[in-house]
Amino acid sequence: MQIYRRENYEAMSRQAADILAEQIISKPDSVLGLATGSSPIGLYRLLSDRHRAGELDFSRVTTVNLDEYKGLGPSNPRSYRYFMQENLFDHVNIPADRSFLPDGLAADDAAECARYDALLEAVGPIDLQLLGLGNNGHIGFNEPGDFFSAGTHCVALSESTCAANSRFFACESEVPRFAYTMGIGSIMHARRILLIVSGEAKAEILHKALKGPITPWVPASVLQLHRDVVVVGDDAALALF
Ligand code: GLP
């Protein structure tokens, strides 16, 4: 595991953007696993800037996102599809039919999970999987629990996750209670993983995840078992290292 420590969110985003840019330049047909949340917004902005400046070509890139809220469609500004369009896809040249997320409006959970797993299998393996870290140690929407899940599944979001994500909604009661997420098995299958973490609120859980026991109660702790993980954190998030 390689850990980059940068002074703040901007510097963290720059470092992460360099790693992603290097991936795309060295393998233009890369399959990128992407994440949502506050952590990657700066990184997506920098990638968009580099594309605009003619430095980065996404025309052969494929993307697969980690997760999507159940019940939210692409036109809902709170959906992760909308987030991705707004923060990255609308600003770069990834072909429209080469960016994938679970379908929040799927009628049948089991069928949607099977569809997404088949899709991951067909486009994969993921060359670089980007991850943020949930306050309770979740990655994607793999919440703490009794076991590490293998494939895509529909999860009941924990109260702490709904509370943390309520900042993106008008109020907490609007946060969907369920989501589709890629499984830990699929995340671990990626060739390389890039975890980005910022802010003092994440310091303790980041330390637990990377230095504590490997347990499904801290889902990100599984990353200790992956052979190629890069962590980019800011000083505040890495305060306990
Ligand atoms: C959400 C997403 C995760 C993300 C996490 C952390 O729950 N499903 O993929 O990593 O939030 O978000 P943030 O970066 O906003 O702290």
Side-chain angles (χ1 to χ4, degrees):
M1 182 174 296
Q2 201 180 354
I3 301 184
Y4 290 89
R5 187 183 185 122
R6 294 293 175 260
E7 58 179 340
N8 53 29
Y9 180 86
E10 269 309 305
M12 173 198 79
S13 301
R14 271 198 304 276
Q15 180 64 60
D18 284 347
I19 293 169
L20 264 151
E22 191 249 345
Q23 175 67 43
I24 296 166
I25 289 165
S26 62
K27 187 169 186 268
D29 62 347
S30 287
V31 179
L32 304 178
L34 298 180
T36 51
S38 310
S39 306
I41 291 178
L43 149 69
Y44 291 155
R45 186 177 25 80
L46 290 166
L47 291 178
S48 304
D49 290 348
R50 288 184 192 190
H51 171 68
R52 207 171 301 116
E55 294 165 19
L56 262 189
D57 175 21
F58 290 79
S59 62
R60 293 172 61 202
V61 165
T62 298
T63 68
V64 284
N65 261 75
L66 284 166
D67 44 19
E68 178 60 282
Y69 287 114
K70 183 174 164 60
L72 303 192
S75 60
N76 187 314
R78 312 292 176 221
S79 72
Y80 283 167
R81 164 57 79 175
Y82 193 100
F83 173 100
M84 289 308 302
Q85 292 297 144
E86 192 170 59
N87 286 288
L88 184 67
F89 299 157
D90 288 348
H91 311 289
V92 298
N93 62 335
I94 299 168
D97 60 351
R98 297 303 295 170
S99 69
F100 302 100
L101 284 88
D103 175 6
L105 296 180
D108 178 335
D109 291 348
E112 176 54 15
C113 294
R115 181 195 71 84
Y116 206 62
D117 279 341
L119 183 127
L120 295 175
E121 186 73 33
V123 305
I126 293 169
D127 292 298
L128 181 65
Q129 175 65 57
L130 175 67
L131 295 177
L133 180 66
N135 289 333
N136 60 5
H138 73 226
I139 45 179
F141 266 136
N142 289 276
E143 295 280 40
D146 288 325
F147 57 89
F148 291 117
S149 60
T152 304
H153 53 290
C154 183
V155 284
L157 300 177
S158 69
E159 281 198 13
S160 69
T161 295
C162 291
N165 290 359
S166 64
R167 67 189 193 279
F168 296 109
F169 292 80
C171 62
E172 199 176 325
S173 63
E174 263 193 22
V175 183
R177 301 286 133 170
F178 293 89
Y180 296 110
T181 184
M182 205 188 270
I184 294 284
S186 309
I187 293 172
M188 290 294 279
H189 204 58
R191 291 189 164 125
R192 199 169 190 216
I193 292 177
L194 170 59
L195 174 69
I196 54 173
V197 196
S198 122
E200 63 179 327
K202 299 274 177 75
E204 206 178 317
I205 192 66
L206 180 62
H207 192 261
K208 257 194 202 166
L210 303 187
K211 299 287 186 193
I214 298 167
T215 162
W217 290 99
V218 182
S221 65
V222 76
L223 299 177
Q224 294 179 41
L225 299 173
H226 193 281
R227 73 191 123 123
D228 192 359
V229 177
V230 182
V231 180
V232 183
D234 63 11
D235 280 337
L238 285 165
L240 302 177
F241 283 73

